[in-house]
Amino acid sequence: DHWSDSVYHISLLSRYYFPPQYTTMSGPKRVMFLHGLESGPTGSKARKLQSHLKHVLVPDLYMSVFDWNKKNSAIRNWMSLSRSMELCVGEAVGAIRAEFGEGAEGDGRIRSELIIVGSSWGGALGLKLLSLHNIHPYKTVLLAPALSVTGGFKAWFWPAWQPASLPNDGTDVIVYHGDADETVPVEGSRVLKSTFPKVTYHELPGGDHRLKDALLKPTEECPNGVLLKALEALGATLKDCADY
C-alpha cells in the first residue's frame, strides 16, 4: 500500500542519500537554519536542529505575509515579497557577520565551516545568498525551496525565480523535495536540477511540503531522522543523547 511504499522509500534514504562525497574530514560545521514564510526560530525544524546539533544558528527573519508585527512582512512592504526577500537576505547576512565577523562574505571559514539549511521561503533565500550575494558556504541544503507557489492569492505576487548561475555549478547544493508537495511545486526543484546537473537532488516519494515524515521522523536506520543523518555526514556535530 502507499504507506508501506513510503516507509520503504524512507528506509532506503540512508543507503543512497549519503554518498562518500558528502563526508568530510575537516572540523565541526556550524549550521545556519533559515525558516519558512510563516515560521520562525521556534518552528519544528528549528527546534529539531537546535535540540540535536551542537552548533546551530537560527536567525529570526521577521517574515510573514500579513503579520504587521513582523518587520519584514509583505504587508509592511507594500505587499512586495521581492522587497521582503531582500530584507530577509539582510537578516541572514547580519547573522553570518555576527558569527564570523564583519566582511564575512570573503571569509574562508564560511567556505569550510558553514552549512546553510533553508526550508521553503528560507530555501529560496539560501539560494539567493549563494547565487547573488557572495555567500559561499560549505554546503547549502534546500528543503522544498519556494521558487514558486501553487495557486491562490500568493501565486499572483510571488517572486518566482531561478538562479542564472551557482558557484561550482551547484556542486555544493543539496535539494530535498516531496513529489506530493501541494504548496510549493516540485517542478521548480526539477528545473533547478535540470539547469544545474551537479546539484544533488532527492525527490521524496509521497513527501508533503513540511517533509516531517520524510526527513524528521525517526526510522530504524535513521534514529534521529534523515535530515540529521545527512547533516552529520556533512560534518555537523550531534549532541550527546543525554543533552536532548
Side-chain angles (χ1 to χ4, degrees):
D1 59 19
H2 177 74
W3 172 247
S4 297
D5 288 344
S6 297
V7 172
Y8 171 72
H9 284 297
I10 291 171
S11 72
L12 287 179
L13 290 174
S14 63
R15 300 180 188 177
Y16 61 88
Y17 278 20
F18 317 114
Q21 65 266 30
Y22 275 31
T23 60
T24 174
M25 298 302 293
S26 60
K29 300 293 187 286
R30 285 176 265 189
V31 173
M32 182 170 77
F33 179 70
L34 302 174
H35 63 74
L37 183 68
E38 301 291 345
S39 187
T42 60
S44 59
K45 292 186 183 73
R47 294 198 311 272
K48 179 84 170 184
L49 296 180
Q50 289 173 314
S51 66
H52 285 73
L53 297 177
K54 287 188 175 181
H55 309 288
V56 183
L57 317 173
V58 187
D60 195 338
L61 302 178
Y62 303 102
M63 185 55 201
S64 171
V65 175
F66 293 118
D67 188 344
W68 187 265
N69 293 319
K70 302 289 183 70
K71 64 180 181 179
N72 297 330
S73 62
I75 198 169
R76 291 184 63 165
N77 289 280
W78 302 96
M79 293 305 291
S80 171
L81 282 172
S82 294
R83 171 60 179 161
S84 291
M85 176 61 77
E86 290 307 308
L87 292 171
C88 289
V89 165
E91 302 291 351
V93 171
I96 292 173
R97 288 174 176 169
E99 182 72 12
F100 290 93
E102 289 296 325
E105 291 88 332
D107 193 326
R109 290 179 300 158
I110 290 178
R111 186 71 187 90
S112 63
E113 296 180 17
L114 182 63
I115 299 170
I116 290 178
V117 180
S119 176
S120 191
W121 173 267
L125 171 56
L127 207 54
K128 289 265 188 181
L129 291 173
L130 188 62
S131 178
L132 301 176
H133 295 276
N134 198 34
I135 301 293
H136 299 167
Y138 173 68
K139 295 290 181 182
T140 299
V141 181
L142 309 176
L143 313 177
L147 303 178
S148 63
V149 295
T150 300
F153 72 93
K154 289 182 183 177
W156 300 343
F157 55 92
W158 194 268
W161 176 76
Q162 285 282 341
S165 64
L166 289 173
N168 299 324
D169 295 324
T171 302
D172 302 321
V173 176
I174 303 164
V175 180
Y176 294 90
H177 209 137
D179 66 2
D181 191 331
E182 297 182 352
T183 302
V184 172
V186 70
E187 285 75 17
S189 290
R190 292 172 179 168
V191 169
L192 182 68
K193 171 63 176 176
S194 177
T195 305
F196 301 97
K198 292 184 179 180
V199 165
T200 300
Y201 177 57
H202 305 304
E203 190 164 305
L204 309 179
D208 61 10
H209 183 60
R210 296 186 66 189
L211 295 174
K212 184 176 181 180
D213 287 343
L215 291 184
L216 302 183
K217 186 176 181 177
T219 67
E220 183 175 347
E221 295 188 38
C222 301
N224 293 317
V226 170
L227 178 59
L228 281 167
K229 181 162 184 174
L231 293 175
E232 184 181 17
L234 293 175
T237 305
L238 288 175
K239 292 180 179 179
D240 294 333
C241 292
D243 296 333
Y244 292 178

